[in-house]
Every structure is written in C-alpha cells, then in structure tokens.
Amino acid sequence: MAVCVAVIGKDNAPKYVSCLNPNMELDFHYKVHNALDVVEEKMSANGKASGDIRELYLGLLNSTDDHKIFGYVTNTKIKFVIVTESANTSLRDNEVRMMFRRLHSVYADVVCNPFYNPSEPISSKAFNETVRNMMAGNL
Amino acid sequence: MSRQTSRLDAKKVNSELFTLTYGALVTQLIKDVDNVDDVNKQLERMGYNIGVRLIEDFLARSGSGKCYDFRDTSEKIQLATRMYLGVSPTISNWSPSGDEFSLVMDSNPITDFVELPDSHMGLKYSNMLLGVIRGSCEMVQLEVSCWFAQDQLKGDNTTEIRVKLLRKLEDSVPAGED
C-alpha cells in the first residue's frame, strides 16, 4: 500500500530507503528529506505543549497532488517516514499506525543483531523482506 | 524491546539479556581476534569450561544416575537443553552402530535477531554449545566429538548438532602424579 518507506537516523542521515518503483527513487529521496523539516517542527511543538508526554506517531506530515507523507519518531530520535499515493483513499489512520508499529518492531530486531553497527545503513535481509511485504500490502 | 505481544514474562526478559550478552561476546571476540577460525576455537574452549561446571549443576538438579548406554546419554543431553536453553530439541539420525546421533533444534535462543554478515560466513556462531556438550560429557568419562550438520544462520531450516561418542575414558592418573 505504501510506495516508499524510509528510516532516518537521529543525525538526520538516511539509514534505509526502499521504493516500489526504482525510477522514482530520487524523487522520493527529495520528498522524504523535505518531510524531515515538518518532523522537527512537530517534535519541538509537542515537547513544549505537553511537557514530557509525546506521541510517537506524528500523523500526516505533508500532502502533494499524488503523494501523502506520514511520519513517526521514536524516543531515540529515529524517524520512520512512509509515503503513500493520494489516490489510495482507503488507507485509514489506524492502518498507518499499525504499519509504523510493525516497522518499529522490525527495526528493534535489526538493532538487536550483534553484527549491526548503529552508525551504518541497514542491510538486513529480514528487514528488507518485511518492508517489501508491507509495501505490497500483505500485512 | 517493542513487541506486539509484550507480556512481562520474567523468563523471557532474562533470555533476551542472555542473547544480547552472547552477541556482544562474539562481536568483541571478532574485534580482538581477526581470524574467524580462532574465534571458533575460543568459543568452543569457553563452552568447554562452562560444560565442565554445568554438569555438576545438571546432575544435582535432575538427580539422574549413571547412563546405561549412549541413548540414555542423548536423552540426558536433550533434558539439559530443555532445562538451560528452554528449547526442546529432538533426537534423530542414529548411526547404525548407535554411537552417533543428531540433536535437532527448531529455534536457537542465542541466535535470536542475529544475521551473519557475508564477511563472517565461516563463523560458527553457536560454537559455545558444542563446547558445553563436550565439556560436560568429558566430566562423566565420555569423550565425544560434536559438530554442526545444519545451521539456521547459514540458511538451513533447522540447527542440527551431530554428537559422536569417541570412547569411554578410563579413570587415568592425572599427569604429573604417581
């Protein structure tokens, strides 16, 4: 259901970007990078408003003619960004939340791998497969 | 750890700590010793040291007596794996002479979350388990040799450890004493 999934590290460097359509990859890199500004804004707004209570799911960050961008930030400042097609109106908020929760869970598995260095990009096959399945819509 | 079904099961929390500790141990060994074969040997030696001590704890807890034959021994090893690792392996592939068998595990708790990078394909990640089996059998006067027939980290469906009885050790006088 998603067309692009990205994981960005706490220093705002991309850790993992995966797109359904390889031709649009550069395009999605731009979109995700732009969405980071909105993420920062939401993170600082939330922090001031409710003190310590911050929700991980950030909701709809940006909307263009053909794409919608959703964001999710973890307590360790790792950002997950999902890009979906605007034409896909059947995508409910709940479903996007579930996708992010699953992403977070798989990410935690990757981090637990003793051979994974947190500063490197993610190259885990299991992570790749789960993300591909999510993008294809097989929850 | 974020899990969909996160029950606060004390035993499960401890096993994740154990898994992470073992992972940290292996990566540190790889950093200290560049050669993958040396890492394998070190892991096996560490396992051996654990095994010679673990056997006492096992015998105290299970209260089992002497084994009648090697099949009995295989059952005890199966029981010990269940006690210490929490997995139930199956015993299969007995050799015709009855001195070699396979311990087949569907899941290996120390390799949860682990993916071997391509640069370390020769690494026997769970080599410590082989050392534990060898060490504990040696303390009950059995010399065994074990190796991995299948390894889930290398792409096989299950983890299979082959254990072969080499000989029964006679009570020999330790070297250096008369």
Side-chain angles (χ1 to χ4, degrees), chain A residues 12-26:
Chain A
N12 287 340
K15 283 263 161 15
Y16 179 85
V17 180
S18 168
C19 319
L20 267 185
N21 186 356
N23 295 334
M24 302 271 286
E25 201 166 317
L26 192 61

Side-chain angles (χ1 to χ4, degrees), chain A residues 78-115:
Chain A
I78 307 284
K79 299 140 188 117
F80 298 120
V81 176
I82 292 185
V83 183
T84 66
E85 276 175 358
S86 279
N88 196 350
T89 47
S90 61
L91 205 62
R92 293 197 324 265
D93 192 54
N94 227 1
E95 286 176 20
V96 184
R97 276 181 198 264
M98 271 198 48
M99 282 168 80
F100 275 124
R101 213 175 305 145
R102 202 166 310 113
L103 248 187
H104 196 168
S105 176
V106 197
Y107 178 74
D109 287 344
V110 167
V111 166
C112 285
N113 181 10
F115 295 108

Side-chain angles (χ1 to χ4, degrees), chain B residues 46-114:
Chain B
M46 281 193 243
Y48 176 81
N49 287 328
I50 294 177
V52 301
R53 292 161 175 83
L54 202 64
I55 183 74
E56 303 291 341
D57 184 68
F58 172 69
L59 290 173
R61 279 202 216 184
S62 64
S64 41
K66 270 174 108 64
C67 292
Y68 293 114
D69 61 6
F70 202 49
R71 278 176 199 265
D72 220 2
T73 312
S74 71
E75 274 163 36
K76 300 272 164 61
I77 297 183
Q78 188 182 26
L79 179 64
T81 320
R82 205 174 302 150
M83 257 169 66
Y84 292 113
L85 287 179
V87 289
S88 290
T90 51
I91 306 227
S92 62
N93 287 358
W94 277 99
S95 69
S97 47
D99 63 351
E100 201 176 316
F101 67 92
S102 280
L103 208 60
V104 180
M105 298 194 277
D106 281 328
S107 69
N108 188 354
I110 58 177
T111 58
D112 280 342
F113 323 126
V114 178

Side-chain angles (χ1 to χ4, degrees), chain A residues 115 120, chain B residues 30 34-36 115-123:
Chain A
F115 295 108
E120 6 168 280
Chain B
I30 292 180
D34 289 313
N35 189 350
V36 162
E115 278 186 31
L116 271 190
D118 295 321
S119 47
H120 297 114
M121 267 300 154
L123 177 69

